[in-house]
PDB file of all heavy atoms in Angstrom:
ATOM      1  N   ARG V1253      38.145  -5.789   7.748  1.00 76.00           N
ATOM      2  CA  ARG V1253      37.587  -6.179   9.038  1.00 76.00           C
ATOM      3  C   ARG V1253      36.600  -5.142   9.556  1.00 76.00           C
ATOM      4  O   ARG V1253      35.514  -5.484  10.030  1.00 76.00           O
ATOM      5  CB  ARG V1253      38.724  -6.380  10.029  1.00 76.00           C
ATOM      6  CG  ARG V1253      38.265  -6.883  11.395  1.00 76.00           C
ATOM      7  CD  ARG V1253      39.466  -7.122  12.296  1.00 76.00           C
ATOM      8  NE  ARG V1253      39.029  -7.588  13.614  1.00 76.00           N
ATOM      9  CZ  ARG V1253      39.867  -7.870  14.599  1.00 76.00           C
ATOM     10  NH1 ARG V1253      41.181  -7.738  14.418  1.00 76.00           N
ATOM     11  NH2 ARG V1253      39.404  -8.272  15.769  1.00 76.00           N
ATOM     12  N   ARG V1254      36.979  -3.868   9.454  1.00 74.00           N
ATOM     13  CA  ARG V1254      36.072  -2.805   9.909  1.00 74.00           C
ATOM     14  C   ARG V1254      34.833  -2.715   9.018  1.00 74.00           C
ATOM     15  O   ARG V1254      33.731  -2.426   9.484  1.00 74.00           O
ATOM     16  CB  ARG V1254      36.804  -1.470   9.921  1.00 74.00           C
ATOM     17  CG  ARG V1254      37.839  -1.348  11.034  1.00 74.00           C
ATOM     18  CD  ARG V1254      38.484   0.021  11.039  1.00 74.00           C
ATOM     19  NE  ARG V1254      39.432   0.162  12.132  1.00 74.00           N
ATOM     20  CZ  ARG V1254      40.159   1.257  12.342  1.00 74.00           C
ATOM     21  NH1 ARG V1254      40.047   2.289  11.510  1.00 74.00           N
ATOM     22  NH2 ARG V1254      41.000   1.311  13.362  1.00 74.00           N
ATOM     23  N   ARG V1255      35.042  -2.965   7.730  1.00 79.00           N
ATOM     24  CA  ARG V1255      33.900  -2.931   6.817  1.00 79.00           C
ATOM     25  C   ARG V1255      32.909  -4.026   7.163  1.00 79.00           C
ATOM     26  O   ARG V1255      31.693  -3.813   7.188  1.00 79.00           O
ATOM     27  CB  ARG V1255      34.383  -3.088   5.378  1.00 79.00           C
ATOM     28  CG  ARG V1255      33.277  -2.949   4.340  1.00 79.00           C
ATOM     29  CD  ARG V1255      33.834  -3.030   2.933  1.00 79.00           C
ATOM     30  NE  ARG V1255      34.770  -1.948   2.678  1.00 79.00           N
ATOM     31  CZ  ARG V1255      35.435  -1.798   1.534  1.00 79.00           C
ATOM     32  NH1 ARG V1255      35.272  -2.686   0.545  1.00 79.00           N
ATOM     33  NH2 ARG V1255      36.252  -0.773   1.356  1.00 79.00           N
ATOM     34  N   LEU V1256      33.408  -5.228   7.463  1.00 82.00           N
ATOM     35  CA  LEU V1256      32.533  -6.331   7.872  1.00 82.00           C
ATOM     36  C   LEU V1256      31.811  -5.992   9.163  1.00 82.00           C
ATOM     37  O   LEU V1256      30.609  -6.271   9.314  1.00 82.00           O
ATOM     38  CB  LEU V1256      33.353  -7.609   8.034  1.00 82.00           C
ATOM     39  CG  LEU V1256      32.587  -8.844   8.545  1.00 82.00           C
ATOM     40  CD1 LEU V1256      31.469  -9.212   7.571  1.00 82.00           C
ATOM     41  CD2 LEU V1256      33.545 -10.010   8.749  1.00 82.00           C
ATOM     42  N   LEU V1257      32.540  -5.396  10.109  1.00 82.00           N
ATOM     43  CA  LEU V1257      31.923  -5.001  11.376  1.00 82.00           C
ATOM     44  C   LEU V1257      30.804  -3.997  11.136  1.00 82.00           C
ATOM     45  O   LEU V1257      29.743  -4.063  11.771  1.00 82.00           O
ATOM     46  CB  LEU V1257      32.984  -4.414  12.303  1.00 82.00           C
ATOM     47  CG  LEU V1257      32.479  -3.947  13.688  1.00 82.00           C
ATOM     48  CD1 LEU V1257      31.891  -5.121  14.464  1.00 82.00           C
ATOM     49  CD2 LEU V1257      33.615  -3.292  14.468  1.00 82.00           C
ATOM     50  N   GLY V1258      31.024  -3.057  10.207  1.00 81.00           N
ATOM     51  CA  GLY V1258      29.990  -2.084   9.889  1.00 81.00           C
ATOM     52  C   GLY V1258      28.738  -2.736   9.341  1.00 81.00           C
ATOM     53  O   GLY V1258      27.617  -2.398   9.741  1.00 81.00           O
ATOM     54  N   TYR V1259      28.913  -3.705   8.439  1.00 88.00           N
ATOM     55  CA  TYR V1259      27.761  -4.404   7.878  1.00 88.00           C
ATOM     56  C   TYR V1259      27.019  -5.202   8.950  1.00 88.00           C
ATOM     57  O   TYR V1259      25.782  -5.265   8.951  1.00 88.00           O
ATOM     58  CB  TYR V1259      28.196  -5.335   6.748  1.00 88.00           C
ATOM     59  CG  TYR V1259      28.346  -4.643   5.412  1.00 88.00           C
ATOM     60  CD1 TYR V1259      29.600  -4.426   4.851  1.00 88.00           C
ATOM     61  CD2 TYR V1259      27.229  -4.210   4.706  1.00 88.00           C
ATOM     62  CE1 TYR V1259      29.746  -3.787   3.625  1.00 88.00           C
ATOM     63  CE2 TYR V1259      27.347  -3.586   3.478  1.00 88.00           C
ATOM     64  CZ  TYR V1259      28.618  -3.369   2.946  1.00 88.00           C
ATOM     65  OH  TYR V1259      28.744  -2.737   1.733  1.00 88.00           O
ATOM     66  N   LEU V1260      27.766  -5.810   9.859  1.00 90.00           N
ATOM     67  CA  LEU V1260      27.131  -6.578  10.925  1.00 90.00           C
ATOM     68  C   LEU V1260      26.314  -5.673  11.849  1.00 90.00           C
ATOM     69  O   LEU V1260      25.214  -6.038  12.283  1.00 90.00           O
ATOM     70  CB  LEU V1260      28.189  -7.335  11.726  1.00 90.00           C
ATOM     71  CG  LEU V1260      28.873  -8.506  11.002  1.00 90.00           C
ATOM     72  CD1 LEU V1260      29.981  -9.087  11.867  1.00 90.00           C
ATOM     73  CD2 LEU V1260      27.854  -9.574  10.630  1.00 90.00           C
ATOM     74  N   CYS V1261      26.828  -4.490  12.135  1.00 88.00           N
ATOM     75  CA  CYS V1261      26.084  -3.542  12.971  1.00 88.00           C
ATOM     76  C   CYS V1261      24.802  -3.095  12.275  1.00 88.00           C
ATOM     77  O   CYS V1261      23.735  -2.997  12.897  1.00 88.00           O
ATOM     78  CB  CYS V1261      26.962  -2.342  13.307  1.00 88.00           C
ATOM     79  SG  CYS V1261      28.336  -2.710  14.424  1.00 88.00           S
ATOM     80  N   LEU V1262      24.901  -2.828  10.984  1.00 93.00           N
ATOM     81  CA  LEU V1262      23.713  -2.425  10.228  1.00 93.00           C
ATOM     82  C   LEU V1262      22.687  -3.551  10.181  1.00 93.00           C
ATOM     83  O   LEU V1262      21.476  -3.312  10.306  1.00 93.00           O
ATOM     84  CB  LEU V1262      24.107  -2.021   8.802  1.00 93.00           C
ATOM     85  CG  LEU V1262      24.930  -0.745   8.665  1.00 93.00           C
ATOM     86  CD1 LEU V1262      25.340  -0.521   7.219  1.00 93.00           C
ATOM     87  CD2 LEU V1262      24.153   0.469   9.179  1.00 93.00           C
ATOM     88  N   ALA V1263      23.163  -4.793   9.995  1.00 95.00           N
ATOM     89  CA  ALA V1263      22.252  -5.930   9.971  1.00 95.00           C
ATOM     90  C   ALA V1263      21.536  -6.094  11.309  1.00 95.00           C
ATOM     91  O   ALA V1263      20.340  -6.399  11.362  1.00 95.00           O
ATOM     92  CB  ALA V1263      23.011  -7.203   9.613  1.00 95.00           C
ATOM     93  N   ALA V1264      22.270  -5.878  12.407  1.00 94.00           N
ATOM     94  CA  ALA V1264      21.652  -5.985  13.728  1.00 94.00           C
ATOM     95  C   ALA V1264      20.553  -4.948  13.909  1.00 94.00           C
ATOM     96  O   ALA V1264      19.458  -5.259  14.405  1.00 94.00           O
ATOM     97  CB  ALA V1264      22.719  -5.831  14.814  1.00 94.00           C
TER      98      ALA V1264
END
Side-chain angles (χ1 to χ4, degrees):
R1253 184 177 179 180
R1254 289 183 178 178
R1255 185 176 298 178
L1256 176 61
L1257 180 61
Y1259 277 109
L1260 290 175
C1261 291
L1262 292 176

